[in-house]
Amino acid sequence: MTKLIQALVLFTSFACTRGGSDVKSDSNDSSSAIKLSLNSPAQKFDGWGAGLSWWAKASGQTEYAELYADLFFTDKTVNVLGRDLPGLNINIARYNIGGGANGIAGENVSSKLEWWKGVDGFHVLPGSADDVSTENWNWNNDPHQRHIMALAKERNVNTFEFVSHAPMWWMNDSNSSQGGNLKLDSHEAHANHLAQTIAYAKDNWGITAASVEAFNEPVSTWWTFPKNQEGVVIPRSQQADVLKKLRTKLDERGVPDTKIAASDENTVDQAIDTYRYLEEQNVTNLVDKVNVHAYNGIDPYRNNVKRQELRSLVPETKKIWMTEYGDGDGSGLVMAQTITEDLKYLKANAWFYWQPLEPFTGWGMLNGDYSDRVSAGDNLAAPYKIHNKFFAFAHYSRFITEGCQFYEVSSESSVLAYCEADKKLVMVTFNTGESRDLVLDVSDLGVLGSVELTSSDLDDNDKLFVDGVVTIEGSELKFTAGERSIHTLVIGF
C-alpha cells in the first residue's frame, strides 16, 4: 500500500463480547450513512506510545533488540517468524526510572517478582543527594532498558516521558519498590532522584525528557509487599507535596523545560478525584499534563460519562494522555474499542499500549521467550507468537500520526481526525458483529482523489493487512466490514 503522509481519520467500531468486556454496537447500519465533516474540531494528536520497562529489560541486550526497535518504532516492513509485519510507527516512549537496586544490602526483593519486572534505579543508597558521582549512585544500572531507549531515539521516537513506577526501595516503608508506602520524609528524595536522572540522561545519554510522571496508580490499595511488580501507595496529600518538590528540583538540576505530568491513576474516576484534590491544594498549576490509565483494575475502563467528566474538569490548555492500557484479547478488538472511546470521549492527545512484547499471553502484541532465562539461553527474548492485535494496532498507528486534528463525528463508535501534512482522509473501522455494509457520506468533503482500503480478517492469518474493495456511488463510499474484522480507508485529496 502506498505510504500515507497527510491524513483525515475516522474510526468506527461495532459490537461484540468475545475476548473481553462488552463492546457496544454502533447505532448506524447499512441504511444510514455516516457523515464525514470537518465542522467541529476536537483535540490535536501527539501520537502513539508504548511503555519500555519490562519488555525492554528482557530484550535490550539480546540479538533481538534491533528487530523489536524496528518493529515498534518505524513504519518499515519487518520480517518476523517468516512473516512480513508492518512497523507500528510509535513515536512516544515512556522510560521507567526503576526503584530497585539489584538486591543491594538492605533492599527487600519480593519473592513474587519475575526477573524482567525488576527495574533498577540510580540513587541506590540514601545520602549524597547533590553529588551523583558517589557510590550512593550507580549510573551503570538498567543497561537493557536504556539500550532500547537509545534504539528508539535512532528511529521514529521523538518524545520521551520519564516515569516512576515506584520510588527507590529505601524511600518506602517496606524497604522495597515492590509494595508498601512512600515514607513521609522521602518526598524530596523521590523528587531529587527523578530530577537528577533526567539531568544525567540529558548530559550523558543524549535523551531529553519532555515530561516526567512521579506516580503510577498511586492511590490504588493493592500495593502491598511482597508484590509481583513495582508499585507503592502514594496518597493524594503526599502527591501534592511531591509535585511541589519535583518542580523545584527540576529547576535546580538544570532541566526547567521538563514538564510535570500527574498522576497516572488506574481509573478515570480516581483521576477525577485526584485532580480535584490537587486543585483544592492549589498545585494544579504545577501539572502541565494529566495522565490516566484506561483500566478498571485490570479490566478495560468502560464509563464514557466519566471520561467526558475528566476532560471537562481539566482545562483545555492542559493535554490528557492515556498512558497505559493492555488486555488479554489477542484479536485486538477489545483494544480497538478502548482506543475509540479514549479518543472520542476522553479526547486523549496521545494513546499508549503498555507492553507490545510480553512472554505469555495476548496482553502482548507479540510474545517473546524470556519467562525463563535459563531455558531460553542464547535465544533469550526470541519472538515465538504474533497476535492479531499487532495488526489491529497497526491499522491505527500507521495511518494516524503526530499532528493530526480530530473532529467530532455523529457515529457513536467513530472518531474523526485530519492530518494537515498529508492531505489524506483515513477511516479505521472494526466490526465484531455480523458482516455489514458501511456507507459513508462524503458530500461535505469536496472533490476526492485516490481511495484505498486495507482490511484484516482477525480470524484468518492469510487475510491480514490485505487490499480491500471500495465502491464509489456519487457522494457515498461503500464497503463491507466482515465479522471480526478491521479496515482502514484512505482517501487522497
Side-chain angles (χ1 to χ4, degrees), residues 305-382:
V305 172
K306 286 292 185 180
R307 280 184 166 99
Q308 292 173 314
E309 183 179 343
L310 178 59
R311 181 61 273 184
S312 297
L313 175 65
V314 177
E316 290 184 4
T317 54
K318 296 182 193 289
K319 295 180 178 180
I320 296 179
W321 280 10
M322 199 301 296
T323 47
E324 185 178 322
Y325 175 79
D327 65 57
D329 169 37
S331 77
L333 292 171
V334 176
M335 176 190 68
Q337 182 191 358
T338 305
I339 290 173
T340 300
E341 292 177 346
D342 283 330
L343 294 177
K344 183 176 180 66
Y345 300 105
L346 183 64
K347 303 194 184 306
N349 299 98
W351 200 93
F352 293 71
Y353 197 80
W354 161 226
Q355 295 285 279
L357 180 70
E358 201 266 354
F360 300 119
T361 70
W363 271 77
M365 300 179 190
L366 284 84
N367 292 142
D369 183 10
Y370 55 85
S371 62
D372 187 329
R373 283 183 286 188
V374 175
S375 65
D378 293 339
N379 284 322
L380 183 66

Side-chain angles (χ1 to χ4, degrees), residues 138-390:
N138 186 348
W139 296 107
N140 293 319
N141 275 349
D142 197 29
H144 312 75
Q145 190 188 187
R146 288 190 286 112
H147 182 54
I148 292 293
M149 180 166 60
L151 295 178
K153 184 187 176 186
E154 292 173 3
R155 289 160 174 79
N156 289 3
V157 172
N158 56 18
T159 303
F160 291 93
E161 177 163 274
F162 282 27
V163 56
S164 170
H165 290 176
M168 286 303 300
W169 66 272
W170 54 268
M171 301 178 191
N172 308 313
D173 62 4
S174 59
N175 283 334
S176 177
S177 62
Q178 299 113 46
N181 301 270
L182 177 63
K183 293 189 288 190
L184 292 173
D185 60 358
S186 292
H187 296 180
E188 185 170 354
H190 180 40
N192 185 68
H193 179 222
L194 301 184
Q196 289 281 35
T197 301
I198 289 168
Y200 192 92
K202 181 179 179 180
D203 294 339
N204 297 276
W205 304 339
I207 300 290
T208 298
S211 54
V212 58
E213 169 64 81
F215 317 115
N216 180 59
E217 302 183 351
V219 303
S220 298
T221 58
W222 47 67
W223 300 123
T224 55
F225 182 84
K227 197 68 179 172
N228 64 352
Q229 65 183 81
E230 286 190 313
V232 300
V233 176
I234 306 178
R236 295 181 176 103
S237 58
Q238 290 183 262
Q239 291 182 45
D241 191 49
V242 169
L243 290 171
K244 296 174 186 176
K245 291 177 167 56
L246 180 57
R247 183 69 270 163
T248 297
K249 290 299 179 183
L250 290 169
D251 295 343
E252 288 178 355
R253 302 307 180 195
V255 282
D257 293 335
T258 297
K259 306 298 184 184
I260 292 177
S263 288
D264 264 286
E265 300 289 7
N266 177 267
T267 72
V268 172
D269 308 64
Q270 291 171 338
I272 291 169
D273 292 342
T274 294
Y275 194 84
R276 284 180 173 147
Y277 178 85
L278 296 177
E279 269 191 327
E280 293 169 0
Q281 302 303 309
N282 296 315
V283 294
T284 51
N285 62 305
L286 304 175
V287 178
D288 301 289
K289 174 170 61 70
V290 172
N291 288 350
V292 64
H293 296 176
Y295 298 124
N296 181 17
I298 61 171
D299 295 326
Y301 187 82
R302 288 293 179 251
N303 189 331
N304 291 328
V305 172
K306 286 292 185 180
R307 280 184 166 99
Q308 292 173 314
E309 183 179 343
L310 178 59
R311 181 61 273 184
S312 297
L313 175 65
V314 177
E316 290 184 4
T317 54
K318 296 182 193 289
K319 295 180 178 180
I320 296 179
W321 280 10
M322 199 301 296
T323 47
E324 185 178 322
Y325 175 79
D327 65 57
D329 169 37
S331 77
L333 292 171
V334 176
M335 176 190 68
Q337 182 191 358
T338 305
I339 290 173
T340 300
E341 292 177 346
D342 283 330
L343 294 177
K344 183 176 180 66
Y345 300 105
L346 183 64
K347 303 194 184 306
N349 299 98
W351 200 93
F352 293 71
Y353 197 80
W354 161 226
Q355 295 285 279
L357 180 70
E358 201 266 354
F360 300 119
T361 70
W363 271 77
M365 300 179 190
L366 284 84
N367 292 142
D369 183 10
Y370 55 85
S371 62
D372 187 329
R373 283 183 286 188
V374 175
S375 65
D378 293 339
N379 284 322
L380 183 66
Y384 70 87
K385 184 171 184 178
I386 303 163
H387 292 281
N388 289 345
K389 175 181 282 181
F390 180 91

Side-chain angles (χ1 to χ4, degrees), residues 435-453:
S435 178
R436 63 173 69 197
D437 295 327
L438 299 186
V439 181
L440 306 179
D441 178 353
V442 295
S443 57
D444 284 356
L445 299 178
V447 178
L448 307 182
S450 61
V451 178
E452 298 174 344
L453 182 67

